[in-house]
Amino acid sequence: DGGITQSPKYLFRKEGQNVTLSCEQNLNHDAMYWYRQDPGQGLRLIYYSQIVNDFQKGDIAEGYSVSREKKESFPLTVTSAQKNPTAFYLCASSREAGSYEQYFGPGTRLTVT
Amino acid sequence: QKEVEQNSGPLSVPEGAIASLNCTYSDRGSQSFFWYRQYSGKSPELIMSIYSNGDKEDGRFTAQLNKASQYVSLLIRDSQPSDSATYLCAVNRVNRDDKIIFGKGTRLHILP
């Protein structure tokens, strides 16, 4: 089955700890994205990557970091510098950088206390 | 003005009726418009995309686009309880990075 997987589904961390969220796709899509969603809010773009070994900041990149060493994988690290890390994190991909149709993984719900 | 605006709802519609969801956007250069459905606690699912003025139909769903009025809508015919979800409108923002910007969504509740 082709699709996007994110793990884990739920993640709990103590304040001050870095945490890495996994995102893997087997759709052979070039572009990948990370969003966060807060209750009652729209999706906000954190980072995106249009091709392997390249990524760009989105609207709210502060306190986050990413890597894109393989086409299939786009992990997101939430660092201790992120002031309000508790949120629902969504990974998405699109066929190519110029394609706007994005397909989402199931998401990771991060709680930091 | 917000880049993508939607009424947050909830919008309550009787089962079998037509649900009408609306979205306005601020970037006159936008060319690509999407509707996503998001069930509570789940990730968004792409249900419709529209690129030209007019109507686009797919099963019980019809997307309508009016670029002159900067308005896009989603009609759901013969509404079912399983249509109860939050519907997100998404638009490409040409005036910045040409990335997709999402509205906050409209909660739709279909009354059995």
Side-chain angles (χ1 to χ4, degrees):
Chain A
D1 274 344
I4 304 174
T5 57
Q6 291 186 245
S7 60
K9 189 173 181 179
Y10 298 97
L11 191 53
F12 298 89
R13 279 293 183 270
K14 294 288 188 188
E15 210 172 289
Q17 294 179 330
N18 290 357
V19 59
T20 297
L21 282 57
S22 166
C23 177
E24 304 276 332
Q25 54 97 1
N26 61 4
L27 300 167
N28 200 33
H29 284 179
D30 285 334
M32 298 185 74
Y33 311 82
W34 274 106
Y35 294 89
R36 71 175 275 168
Q37 187 176 37
D38 296 282
Q41 300 295 315
L43 279 65
R44 291 185 290 168
L45 182 62
I46 304 172
Y47 266 99
Y48 62 97
S49 169
Q50 299 184 118
I51 199 168
V52 174
N53 292 323
D54 182 64
F55 49 82
Q56 307 294 331
K57 292 181 179 180
D59 297 323
I60 55 165
E62 186 175 346
Y64 299 98
S65 65
V66 293
S67 63
R68 186 87 186 276
E69 296 176 3
K70 297 187 299 181
K71 187 174 185 177
E72 304 79 26
S73 178
F74 190 41
L76 173 75
T77 297
V78 184
T79 75
S80 56
Q82 168 49 232
K83 292 184 172 52
N84 298 295
T86 295
F88 187 37
Y89 289 87
L90 290 156
C91 179
S93 70
S94 62
R95 192 176 64 244
E96 55 198 15
S99 170
Y100 302 113
E101 293 190 358
Q102 296 182 14
Y103 300 89
F104 286 84
T108 292
R109 200 166 293 277
L110 173 66
T111 302
V112 176
T113 57
Chain B
Q1 184 184 3
K2 291 181 183 170
E3 291 177 290
V4 180
E5 286 204 69
Q6 297 181 255
N7 189 319
S8 62
L11 175 65
S12 295
V13 173
E15 184 175 354
I18 296 175
S20 177
L21 303 161
N22 304 316
C23 172
T24 58
Y25 60 95
S26 61
D27 184 352
R28 282 206 167 272
S30 295
Q31 298 290 327
S32 304
F33 308 87
F34 307 92
W35 285 99
Y36 285 81
R37 178 176 61 199
Q38 186 175 24
Y39 292 115
S40 181
K42 303 295 185 183
S43 62
E45 174 193 6
L46 179 64
I47 55 172
M48 289 288 284
S49 56
I50 186 166
Y51 303 94
S52 306
N53 274 332
D55 294 0
K56 179 182 176 182
E57 188 175 315
D58 184 0
R60 295 186 297 112
F61 298 102
T62 299
Q64 299 177 316
L65 175 61
N66 183 328
K67 290 183 182 178
S69 301
Q70 294 175 244
Y71 178 95
V72 58
S73 64
L74 179 70
L75 302 178
I76 306 174
R77 288 183 301 281
D78 188 23
S79 296
Q80 303 296 311
S82 60
D83 294 325
S84 297
T86 296
Y87 289 81
L88 305 175
C89 173
V91 177
N92 73 310
R93 56 184 184 194
V94 176
N95 63 2
R96 277 182 66 180
D97 50 14
D98 203 25
K99 289 291 164 275
I100 296 297
I101 185 84
F102 287 83
K104 293 184 179 181
T106 298
R107 275 192 301 137
L108 175 64
H109 182 48
I110 305 302
L111 304 168

